[in-house]
Amino acid sequence: MSQRFQAVKGTRDLLPPETSVWSGVEEVARRVFETYGYREIRTPILEDTELFVRSVGESTDIVGKEMYTFQDRKGRSLTLRPENTASVVRAFIQQGLQREPLPAKLFYIGPQFRYERPQKGRYRQFHQIGAELIGDPGPYSDAELILMLVRFLGELGFRDLVVQLNTVGDEDSRAAYRTRLREFLEPHRDRLTADSQRRLETNPLRILDTKDAGEKSLLAGAPQLVDCLTEDSRQHFATVQTILERHRLPFRVEPRLVRGLDYYTRTVFEIVSEGLGAQDAIVGGGRYDGLVEELGGQPQPAIGFAIGEDRLLEVLPEETSVRLSPVAPIAVVTAGNVPTEEALAVAESLRRQGLSVAAELSRRSVKAALKRAHRSGCRWVILIGDDEMAGGTVTVRDLETASQSQVTRDALVEHLGESE
Ligand code: HAM
């Protein structure tokens, strides 16, 4: 017996007709983002490991536990990208995009890789649709980016989504907060997990993402970042809120929202969907004003978001405009002594006129061909038997109304258009 292979754990095959929904969603993203002046960027799936360590942060779960890291044949440490922001910033610096008019507005659509425990809405290869705006300090850019995100989701049919909004302040705000949080947690060190004890030294903010119930209840009494904000950070956040209110965008301030990546500064946000259970975040994003400089570029403020496309599709509303599309609505079938070549010729001439057509080329019985057309969701079957061949006509059978009519070949396209 030969070995039967399976897709790697946590990865999936996306099959038709679902793939038509994936590309439909991506088309809407392209259209909406382009109306805001964003253009597509495609970066490599492989990057130097150090890029993610420096940007996402050494003490994060992503870098600490979830990266697909390996050595190539020359012993270089490479990583399958766990997210796309670091790569976009790397490309921005490497390709000299700061010399172009700023801000750079870039969007991407593609797979990302994280070694997480697979479950509903959580995969090891998943897909993100994201956007990054580099070179403007905001707060109007913050608001505009969030408006774009919500417009995109609105076009897909999402209605009652609420943006959860917070600020993690600038570097000074966070330094003050780190000290306060350490002072608060230090006396309870023995109630912390080993991970969190380590993070108490390296990066106490990361303790706030804990999933541990004991730590969560301890943190309920912890000081909040909002109490450590500098005046500048407070003002920035207030302005973002004012602009969003002016545009009637529904949001809720979540003082405990800190996000799981280290590069964030000031505005952060998430959108969650109740339909998803534990893995409920469909979008995460925020400002990352220090990252371009951290990765070796001239300092540039920036902000962005990424939507989890897999999760988005799992909760796509019923009333969405993006639909499953059948393979081809028309099938061409020959019968009697008519050569198969005729099915191909008719199909080709219809395709030249922009119609989607499947030609039956495998000499099945007419009955089997009709059954197949029915099962693959065809609307019309064009039958060419000996009589039709002799008379220069075809028989058009409408599978939806179960009616059929004889049509001359010249009138075929018009006939299909009329009965639609
Ligand atoms: P993130 O919150 O790590 O942020 O990921 C964004 C979204 O990707 C999540 O809200 C979720 O929908 C989806 N996602 C993450 N992990 C998985 C998984 N294992 N399976 C399925 N979906 C997943 C970022 O990645 C940042 N780069 C976002 C950003 C862009 N911030 C600024 N610019």
Side-chain angles (χ1 to χ4, degrees):
M1 271 260 286
S2 58
Q3 187 184 353
R4 290 194 42 184
F5 292 101
Q6 302 226 319
V8 171
K9 185 172 177 190
T11 72
R12 304 187 286 163
D13 300 309
L14 302 172
L15 303 175
E18 273 77 42
T19 39
S20 64
V21 180
W22 283 73
S23 37
V25 163
E26 290 163 12
E27 244 166 64
V28 176
R30 287 173 200 283
R31 178 165 51 73
V32 173
F33 295 174
E34 280 168 9
T35 62
Y36 283 78
Y38 284 71
R39 310 282 298 275
E40 186 177 9
I41 180 168
R42 300 188 191 195
T43 63
I45 283 170
L46 280 177
E47 297 276 359
D48 276 336
T49 300
E50 196 54 25
L51 174 68
F52 301 113
V53 176
R54 287 283 285 277
S55 48
V56 175
E58 190 127 36
S59 55
T60 60
D61 280 351
I62 297 179
V63 169
K65 310 176 189 167
E66 298 171 359
M67 293 208 299
Y68 277 92
T69 297
F70 61 96
Q71 299 220 323
D72 75 0
R73 288 169 190 275
K74 286 268 165 65
R76 288 172 283 240
S77 179
L78 302 181
T79 293
L80 295 182
R81 63 184 186 198
E83 61 103 52
N84 220 154
T85 308
S87 315
V88 169
V89 171
R90 198 256 320 125
F92 175 87
I93 299 166
Q94 183 182 345
Q95 308 304 335
L97 297 185
Q98 72 274 12
R99 291 191 296 272
E100 314 260 318
L102 293 178
K105 293 173 162 186
L106 301 162
F107 75 85
Y108 48 83
I109 299 174
Q112 319 291 332
F113 304 83
R114 294 183 195 175
Y115 194 87
E116 292 190 82
R117 200 164 48 75
Q119 62 182 79
K120 180 174 156 57
R122 192 160 75 190
Y123 306 97
R124 290 181 175 172
Q125 174 174 339
F126 61 99
H127 305 79
Q128 286 185 343
I129 300 177
E132 312 290 348
L133 179 143
I134 308 175
D136 186 87
Y140 282 91
S141 287
D142 304 32
E144 189 191 48
L145 181 95
I146 296 171
L147 287 169
M148 173 172 89
L149 167 64
V150 171
R151 160 140 322 150
F152 165 63
L153 295 170
E155 295 237 346
L156 291 179
F158 287 95
R159 288 293 166 262
D160 303 318
L161 292 176
V162 176
V163 178
Q164 302 188 350
L165 198 64
N166 194 22
T167 177
V168 292
D170 52 18
E171 198 31 62
D172 290 346
S173 319
R174 279 207 316 285
Y177 183 57
R178 271 194 290 271
T179 309
R180 292 269 291 269
L181 193 59
R182 232 179 239 133
E183 282 166 7
F184 171 82
L185 289 171
E186 194 60 60
H188 308 285
R189 181 177 266 277
D190 51 341
R191 288 173 61 188
L192 298 177
T193 60
D195 263 357
S196 294
Q197 290 190 10
R198 216 171 312 120
R199 286 168 170 168
L200 198 54
E201 258 66 67
T202 56
N203 190 356
L205 254 82
R206 285 278 69 86
I207 300 175
L208 301 176
D209 325 324
T210 184
K211 297 183 178 82
D212 180 89
E215 286 187 342
K216 273 191 175 158
S217 72
L218 176 61
L219 285 167
Q224 297 202 357
L225 211 151
V226 62
D227 302 320
C228 299
L229 291 179
T230 58
E231 186 47 38
D232 189 39
S233 289
R234 193 186 307 278
Q235 193 56 51
H236 182 102
F237 190 43
T239 313
V240 172
Q241 292 177 62
T242 307
I243 309 165
L244 291 177
E245 274 160 11
R246 209 172 289 151
H247 287 266
R248 295 183 202 291
L249 187 134
F251 68 87
R252 191 171 59 231
V253 175
E254 283 289 339
R256 297 196 177 276
L257 177 69
V258 288
R259 308 269 303 124
L261 300 86
D262 278 353
Y263 49 60
Y264 290 112
T265 55
R266 299 179 188 259
T267 315
V268 291
F269 54 93
E270 282 187 357
I271 298 181
V272 301
S273 161
E274 278 158 19
L276 276 168
Q279 302 306 316
D280 59 358
I282 48 176
V283 186
R287 189 161 268 291
Y288 48 96
D289 290 342
L291 186 58
V292 180
E293 186 177 17
E294 174 68 30
L295 294 180
Q298 297 292 321
Q300 287 293 353
I303 184 166
F305 64 76
I307 302 164
E309 196 177 359
D310 307 73
R311 293 184 193 176
L312 185 71
L313 267 90
E314 273 162 35
V315 290
L316 205 56
E318 290 279 324
E319 55 279 12
T320 184
S321 56
V322 182
R323 299 251 164 265
L324 298 179
S325 55
V327 184
I330 304 169
V332 185
V333 178
T334 52
N337 293 320
V338 180
T340 306
E341 168 57 26
E342 195 56 26
L344 183 58
V346 171
E348 282 291 282
S349 84
L350 293 175
R351 288 171 187 147
R352 273 195 293 277
Q353 296 175 76
L355 298 172
S356 292
V357 185
E360 180 56 66
L361 302 178
S362 52
R363 264 297 168 204
R364 284 170 224 261
S365 69
V366 171
K367 196 170 154 208
L370 283 175
K371 200 164 156 196
R372 180 185 144 83
H374 205 79
R375 284 193 52 201
S376 37
C378 278
R379 165 81 192 272
W380 295 283
V381 175
I382 296 171
L383 265 169
I384 314 168
D386 294 324
D387 292 348
E388 286 89 350
M389 197 65 188
T393 63
V394 298
T395 296
V396 180
R397 186 175 290 197
D398 186 333
L399 298 182
E400 205 170 281
T401 59
S403 60
Q404 74 178 35
S405 42
Q406 290 258 320
V407 188
T408 63
R409 292 211 181 183
D410 294 344
L412 180 55
V413 173
E414 203 181 329
H415 176 83
L416 293 170
E418 273 167 14
S419 48
E420 200 164 22

